[in-house]
Amino acid sequence: MMDAVNSGQWLLYRNDPRKLNPFQLDNNAPSIKIEAYLKMQKRFKNLTSKNSRKSKIELEKLQNNINNKYLEYTSYTGIENEDILNV
C-alpha cells in the first residue's frame, strides 16, 4: 500500500472539526509516477505492457488526474503551491 500512497493513487488525510482548519493531508506530494506503481501490480499488466499510443494517453490522463486531485486536496489545507508536484 505504501507504493499506492507514494504514487498519489491513495491519499491519506483526516478531518478534525475541532480545529480551525479541520482538513489535514497526511502524505507528501507523489514521489513516483502512477505508471511505475501500476507496473508493480500484476493485475494492471494489460495496461502497462502495451506500448500503444492509446495506453500511453490513458496513463498520462491518469497521472494528470492524480496530480489535480493532490493539488485540490492541498488547497483544502491552505497550501496553494502548484510547484509541489515534481513527478
Side-chain angles (χ1 to χ4, degrees):
M1 182 167 124
M2 199 62 191
D3 293 324
V5 172
N6 290 337
S7 71
Q9 178 65 27
W10 189 275
L11 292 177
L12 301 175
Y13 59 90
R14 57 185 133 165
N15 187 31
D16 186 353
R18 298 172 294 174
K19 293 185 177 182
L20 180 61
N21 189 358
F23 185 83
Q24 183 177 347
L25 190 60
D26 291 334
N27 60 303
N28 297 327
S31 59
I32 64 172
K33 291 188 180 243
I34 189 63
E35 184 176 3
Y37 167 67
L38 295 177
K39 284 182 178 179
M40 293 180 219
Q41 303 288 317
K42 290 182 181 181
R43 58 190 167 160
F44 299 116
K45 186 176 180 181
N46 288 336
L47 180 62
T48 58
S49 65
K50 298 177 183 176
N51 287 327
S52 70
R53 179 167 160 68
K54 184 178 179 180
S55 64
K56 288 181 182 181
I57 290 171
E58 291 301 319
L59 287 170
E60 286 176 14
K61 284 182 188 178
L62 185 56
Q63 186 66 57
N64 286 336
N65 288 341
I66 288 170
N67 292 347
N68 290 336
K69 180 175 67 169
Y70 183 79
L71 290 174
E72 179 184 354
Y73 278 44
T74 55
S75 72
Y76 299 154
T77 65
I79 301 170
E80 295 186 22
N81 183 358
E82 293 188 15
D83 296 331
I84 54 180
L85 291 174
N86 294 324
V87 175

